[in-house]
Amino acid sequence: QQPVQSPQAVILREGEDAVINCSSSKALYSVHWYRQKHGEAPVFLMILLKGGEQKGHDKISASFNEKKQQSSLYLTASQLSYSGTYFCGTERNNAGNMLTFGGGTRLMVKP
Amino acid sequence: NAGVTQTPKFQVLKTGQSMTLQCAQDMNHEYMSWYRQDPGMGLRLIHYSVGAGITDQGEVPNGYNVSRSTTEDFPLRLLSAAPSQTSVYFCASSTRRDGETQYFGPGTRLLVL
């Protein structure tokens, strides 16, 4: 079953923060976050495994709440380059990295 | 390494025609998969493979066939193209190791008239 992402779209000014959520009705093994620019392939941001810790690099971090089966992606002090569509992909077990993707969150960062 | 490569980049087909989308990876990844992405939507899994000679269906397999004769290649065949198959197709590969994600090819844009 497809995970649900929220919000569907968000507009920010440079320097503002944003949170994107990804929720599943099923127990998850892992959550993968990707960013996709228009006309390009998805680019991997980070992965969170069941039982793992919150992850992050630069000003992008993510968490995984196993009790709620929800992951959140945190974008801090956003830059123009953060614009794009963010997708979460979920795995229910470690059976081959075959992901079920959410519908995406469109993020636009304005100067 | 070239990573994951896909050909062609663009293709226009007429309804009923058949074609093969090519996908290759040079990272010696065991897992390969095909996704389709319709405008404004997320990616949906069509078929996947966990190794040479092993394939299985994903979420939306109807109208597509795959085979995996080598580790490197994973072609996707459209048997009789339909307008509903107009989409962008992405191939991806990954390893078996925990914590590894999928690496996507650049995509093939397909228009079926």
Side-chain angles (χ1 to χ4, degrees):
Chain A
Q1 194 161 359
Q2 187 180 29
V4 177
Q5 287 187 234
S6 63
Q8 288 186 315
V10 60
I11 300 175
L12 299 174
R13 293 285 180 188
E14 261 187 303
E16 292 182 338
D17 303 339
V19 180
I20 300 172
N21 297 307
C22 174
S23 296
S24 173
S25 59
K26 306 287 185 181
L28 298 176
Y29 172 76
S30 69
V31 180
H32 304 224
W33 284 98
Y34 289 83
R35 176 170 59 214
Q36 186 178 33
K37 303 271 185 180
H38 182 70
E40 298 180 7
V43 173
F44 171 69
L45 293 176
M46 63 190 72
I47 180 174
L48 297 106
L49 298 177
K50 178 181 176 181
E53 299 175 352
Q54 180 166 339
K55 287 198 173 180
H57 59 82
D58 290 334
K59 295 175 181 154
I60 300 176
S61 62
S63 63
F64 180 21
N65 184 323
E66 293 176 42
K67 286 186 178 180
K68 293 184 177 180
Q69 300 306 322
Q70 178 177 309
S71 178
S72 297
L73 185 71
Y74 306 95
L75 306 170
T76 306
S78 59
Q79 305 168 15
L80 295 176
S81 61
Y82 287 3
S83 293
T85 301
Y86 290 77
F87 291 99
C88 67
T90 59
E91 278 185 284
R92 293 188 57 199
N93 52 58
N94 184 21
N97 278 346
M98 304 309 155
L99 302 175
T100 301
F101 283 90
T105 295
R106 294 188 179 184
L107 178 74
M108 179 183 295
V109 180
K110 294 185 173 182
Chain B
N1 286 353
V4 181
T5 58
Q6 291 183 237
T7 56
K9 290 185 179 179
F10 303 97
Q11 184 70 47
V12 179
L13 290 179
K14 293 182 179 179
T15 297
Q17 288 184 315
S18 62
M19 79 160 295
T20 299
L21 280 63
Q22 301 292 343
C23 174
Q25 53 92 8
D26 61 358
M27 298 175 281
N28 201 31
H29 284 171
E30 299 91 339
Y31 298 157
M32 296 187 74
S33 51
W34 277 101
Y35 294 87
R36 62 176 286 176
Q37 185 175 33
D38 298 328
M41 298 182 67
L43 295 93
R44 291 184 292 169
L45 183 64
I46 304 172
H47 285 284
Y48 64 96
S49 169
V50 297
I54 306 170
T55 63
D56 207 344
Q57 296 180 350
E59 181 185 354
V60 287
N62 292 342
Y64 307 95
N65 273 354
V66 292
S67 60
R68 184 107 178 261
S69 56
T70 67
T71 300
E72 295 78 18
D73 300 300
F74 191 42
L76 178 73
R77 283 182 286 277
L78 279 70
L79 308 174
S80 177
S84 61
Q85 293 178 304
T86 293
S87 191
V88 180
Y89 291 84
F90 289 102
C91 178
S93 73
S94 65
T95 70
R96 298 168 62 92
R97 291 191 298 273
D98 254 6
E100 289 292 328
T101 192
Q102 297 194 41
Y103 295 91
F104 284 86
T108 294
R109 294 181 178 275
L110 178 67
L111 174 63
V112 183
L113 301 174

